[in-house]
Amino acid sequence: MDEASLTVNNELDAEMVVSWLSDHCYQCVYQPLGVVPAGPGPGIPSSVDFTVGTQHGITLQFNSSLVSLELCKVHFHFWEHGNYSLWVKNLNDSSVVNCSMITDTEPVNSYLPIMVAFLLFTGLALLSAVGGTVMGLDVVKNLMFRLGNSMETERLINSELGFPGRTVETATDTILPTPATPSRRLRSLDTFRGLSLVIMVFVNYGGGRYWFFRHESWNGLTVADLVFPWFVFIMGTSISLSVSSALRCGLSRFSLFTKAVWRSVQLFLIGLLIINPNYCQGPLSWDSLRIPGVLQRLAFSYLVVTSLDLCVAWNSLDNLPVDAWWYSAREFLLYWPAWLCVVVLETVWLCLTFLLPVPDCPSGYLGPGGIGDMGQYPNCTGGAAGYVDRWLLGENHIYQTPSSRVIYKSHMPFDPEGVLGSINSVFMAFLGLQAGKILLHYKDQHSSIMARFLIWSLVLGIISATLTKCSLNEGFIPVNKNLWSLSYVTTLACFALLLLVSIYYTVDVKRWWSGAPFYYPGMNSILVYVGHEVLEEYFPFRWRMANSQSHAEHLTQNLLATSCWVLISFLLYRKNVFWKI
């Protein structure tokens, strides 16, 4: 999987060293692939077989082993399961070396399973939409009503006369529960949360082993890098709405703060358990206990942002003076003390990131270490962020296999949920809190809500473009999930607001879409997240595959496992079962 076969044929009379470099590796040194001996005679090549990666384009470099002279260089994107031959020979009996690539066996289309899965789920969505439209027609409603009345009449007759061999039901057996009062809860928020969660479960289960469903090695974004910040963002939005509702009900701020502390402690402890799965084999060993994690970061962000909101939230928003100079920007200006605290936190992050002295590393280093930056700083993975984690938590208590190992060959432990990145996760949650303030201050004013979401998205997009210089690696602060860089937060918050606008419009404004099926896991997010982590290795979420080198089989397994959690959340929703912390 993700590999091809390359046969290098050397017709030269000198031994040749083959090196390679991935297009995805920024400012990296060439890595040795192997040595091809000299040809045994004129026109008779020596051949050596190599295995090469197919995820990204590769540059192959051929050097003479005697004088380290570059003979030729070939850039090529290999494709999965293809067989290729590369011929190295002198051109027309001259000293000019020619390298030519030939495809011996055509590769397979590794993206075909994704296309099939996309068409399948799109078809199911269309069938569901058509079915919902048909069921909403007056003719169908009347037909269902008549059928329902006839069935009810038969049930009443049977309940009076009784079935053979069956006792008569009492009156209490046939009483139906009173329908619950319709909730004012915004379905778009739960749909947004559920969408983020479903994608998170899918990529955590493997994402079909496609590289774009895995986390980026360093700078840049993949699908897997989108979902966790979105989850943090919508958590901030929910904090704003829940705190406002609790204050209107007369609850004290201190009681809400103690509840937030207790909830954060529970999240942190649950996170410790699920990322250290050796608890099934006995007591947790402190020697190798990983401390940071997804739920731990959620706990920290939740506690800080809830505390900030409790300091600035108003008990009532109904009596604000409409003629005040700040009224048109009230969702922002009324909470300036909280914004001031966030600015201070971001200043701390910037100072620590760019000014903290890190042994044997340049100030403000944001690179992956390893073979990156021409191999000058192999032990500097993450710069100040990695140094703070190793100093504060210890090397044995952070993530041991970061994504930078795949391409950049870094060997230092580095935790993508580390201490410095948690400051920016607070900022992400706070931007979600700001979205919640917009929903509160412009309640039922759909145009105003969507306009402000779009304005905030534009502002954050401009900030991201400035910080990154609209480039992948050349900006002041590149987009980086491992570091949770400032540009990463502003970029993902920009995307989150755009996505929230579209979901809000289709689900809560026009009601074209109910939010299903994402609405159901969004209502039970903690249970789905913890459950998918704990039960990951159990059937039906995983089984022994007939071909473990097949994207199709991995994709089928991961999609079915994710669909199982969507189904579980739907059944729990129907039973009114929700796990709240």
Side-chain angles (χ1 to χ4, degrees):
M1 190 162 50
D2 294 330
E3 290 180 344
S5 174
L6 171 66
T7 301
V8 178
N9 302 284
N10 182 15
E11 290 189 6
L12 304 180
D13 57 0
E15 189 178 63
M16 187 172 58
V17 177
V18 185
S19 304
W20 70 281
L21 178 64
S22 171
D23 290 353
H24 223 57
C25 198
Y26 178 66
Q27 292 185 344
C28 293
V29 295
Y30 278 87
Q31 297 298 294
L33 185 62
V35 176
V36 182
I44 303 176
S46 63
S47 302
V48 177
D49 295 328
F50 300 103
T51 299
V52 291
T54 62
Q55 293 183 354
H56 310 288
I58 290 177
T59 299
L60 294 171
Q61 185 184 63
F62 301 89
N63 292 341
S64 171
S65 61
L66 295 178
V67 293
S68 296
L69 175 68
E70 181 180 306
L71 301 174
C72 65
K73 189 181 292 185
V74 176
H75 179 267
F76 196 79
H77 194 148
F78 299 92
W79 297 100
E80 186 173 315
H81 296 173
N83 291 326
Y84 303 88
S85 295
L86 193 145
W87 292 81
V88 182
K89 54 188 175 181
N90 291 116
L91 190 62
N92 298 326
D93 298 326
S94 67
S95 60
V96 178
V97 177
N98 174 260
C99 296
S100 57
M101 185 76 69
I102 298 174
T103 301
D104 297 324
T105 303
E106 290 295 329
V108 300
N109 186 354
S110 59
Y111 300 117
L112 185 61
I114 291 184
M115 298 168 60
V116 173
F118 175 78
L119 293 175
L120 176 62
F121 280 94
T122 301
L124 291 175
L126 289 175
L127 286 175
S128 176
V130 171
T133 302
V134 171
M135 294 299 293
L137 296 175
D138 291 337
V139 175
V140 178
K141 286 182 178 179
N142 292 334
L143 178 62
M144 296 300 294
F145 181 75
R146 293 193 190 98
L147 290 174
N149 282 343
S150 62
M151 293 175 64
E152 179 68 11
T153 301
E154 183 180 352
R155 187 188 65 81
L156 290 174
I157 293 173
N158 289 333
S159 66
E160 291 295 330
L161 301 178
F163 290 101
R166 176 181 169 184
T167 57
V168 179
E169 295 176 295
T170 61
T172 56
D173 293 326
T174 57
I175 295 178
L176 298 175
T178 304
T181 304
S183 173
R184 298 181 63 84
R185 185 182 181 112
L186 289 173
R187 292 183 70 93
S188 56
L189 302 186
D190 293 308
T191 302
F192 184 102
R193 184 187 301 108
L195 174 62
S196 303
L197 183 60
V198 167
I199 300 175
M200 187 184 298
V201 171
F202 174 65
V203 299
N204 285 351
Y205 276 160
R209 296 298 189 269
Y210 290 100
W211 68 268
F212 42 82
F213 289 135
R214 298 177 181 176
H215 292 296
E216 186 60 84
S217 287
W218 203 246
N219 295 334
L221 291 174
T222 64
V223 176
D225 298 322
L226 304 177
V227 288
F228 184 28
W230 286 353
F231 199 86
V232 174
F233 179 89
I234 207 65
M235 179 185 70
T237 307
S238 300
I239 289 172
S240 179
L241 301 181
S242 61
V243 168
S244 176
S245 176
L247 291 177
R248 286 199 308 270
C249 292
L251 296 178
S252 69
R253 295 173 190 263
F254 180 75
S255 65
L256 293 176
F257 175 73
T258 55
K259 183 178 180 181
V261 171
W262 176 232
R263 175 177 287 183
S264 300
V265 170
Q266 292 181 80
L267 277 176
F268 192 92
L269 293 177
I270 293 172
L272 279 181
L273 289 176
I274 65 174
I275 64 171
N276 296 282
N278 60 328
Y279 57 82
C280 292
Q281 303 168 4
L284 290 177
S285 172
W286 174 254
D287 293 338
S288 59
L289 182 75
R290 182 189 172 194
I291 297 175
V294 170
L295 290 184
Q296 294 90 310
R297 176 164 286 185
L298 284 174
F300 177 76
S301 304
Y302 173 80
L303 180 60
V304 174
V305 173
T306 302
S307 302
L308 287 175
D309 196 32
L310 287 173
C311 292
V312 298
W314 289 55
N315 290 345
S316 176
L317 302 175
D318 299 329
N319 300 319
L320 298 178
V322 295
D323 56 347
W325 64 270
W326 45 261
Y327 188 76
S328 59
R330 57 193 181 277
E331 75 279 6
F332 172 73
L333 295 176
L334 284 179
Y335 310 102
W336 68 266
W339 273 101
L340 183 61
C341 292
V342 171
V343 170
V344 170
L345 285 175
E346 286 304 311
T347 303
V348 170
W349 182 85
L350 289 170
C351 291
L352 289 175
T353 300
F354 290 98
L355 301 179
L356 181 69
V358 179
D360 302 321
C361 302
S363 297
Y365 182 72
L366 300 176
I371 64 173
D373 300 293
M374 306 311 296
Q376 298 179 79
Y377 316 112
N379 300 325
C380 295
T381 303
Y387 176 69
V388 168
D389 288 343
R390 292 189 293 271
W391 172 75
L392 194 62
L393 304 175
E395 286 193 7
N396 294 332
H397 302 297
I398 60 178
Y399 195 45
Q400 300 297 308
T401 56
S403 59
S404 57
R405 290 194 172 201
V406 177
I407 289 180
Y408 289 94
K409 312 299 179 184
S410 61
H411 58 273
M412 297 293 291
F414 181 84
D415 208 307
E417 278 79 50
V419 176
L420 281 191
S422 298
I423 296 177
N424 283 339
S425 70
V426 169
F427 183 35
M428 187 73 180
F430 189 79
L431 291 172
L433 184 84
Q434 182 62 44
K437 296 300 181 187
I438 293 173
L439 291 170
L440 287 172
H441 283 275
Y442 300 93
K443 188 176 181 181
D444 297 328
Q445 301 177 39
H446 303 311
S447 298
S448 297
I449 289 172
M450 291 188 293
R452 279 162 174 79
F453 281 174
L454 292 175
I455 291 172
W456 273 97
S457 178
L458 176 63
V459 170
L460 291 168
I462 292 173
I463 294 173
S464 296
T466 303
L467 292 175
T468 62
K469 297 182 182 179
C470 297
S471 67
L472 181 63
N473 297 297
E474 302 294 339
F476 301 109
I477 304 178
V479 173
N480 189 294
K481 191 268 178 187
N482 283 288
L483 298 173
W484 267 67
S485 62
L486 181 58
S487 59
Y488 175 71
V489 170
T490 55
T491 301
L492 269 296
C494 169
F495 293 166
L497 285 164
L498 291 175
L499 180 61
L500 184 57
V501 165
S502 60
I503 295 178
Y504 177 77
Y505 183 73
T506 55
V507 173
D508 286 323
V509 179
K510 292 298 185 179
R511 303 195 178 188
W512 291 334
W513 178 33
S514 66
F518 305 113
Y519 175 75
Y520 307 113
M523 290 287 290
N524 232 331
S525 56
I526 296 297
L527 186 145
V528 171
Y529 182 81
V530 173
H532 101 276
E533 287 278 5
V534 173
L535 302 177
E536 178 181 3
E537 300 297 332
Y538 296 89
F539 185 83
F541 310 108
R542 184 151 298 175
W543 59 83
R544 188 187 301 275
M545 290 182 288
N547 181 10
S548 62
Q549 298 302 313
S550 165
H551 278 295
E553 195 157 351
H554 278 283
L555 185 66
T556 301
Q557 184 183 83
N558 301 152
L559 285 174
L560 285 176
T562 306
S563 301
C564 283
W565 284 112
V566 174
L567 177 61
I568 290 170
S569 63
F570 171 72
L571 296 176
L572 292 175
Y573 176 83
R574 293 292 300 269
K575 296 293 184 180
N576 202 30
V577 176
F578 304 100
W579 183 20
K580 302 294 183 182
I581 294 180

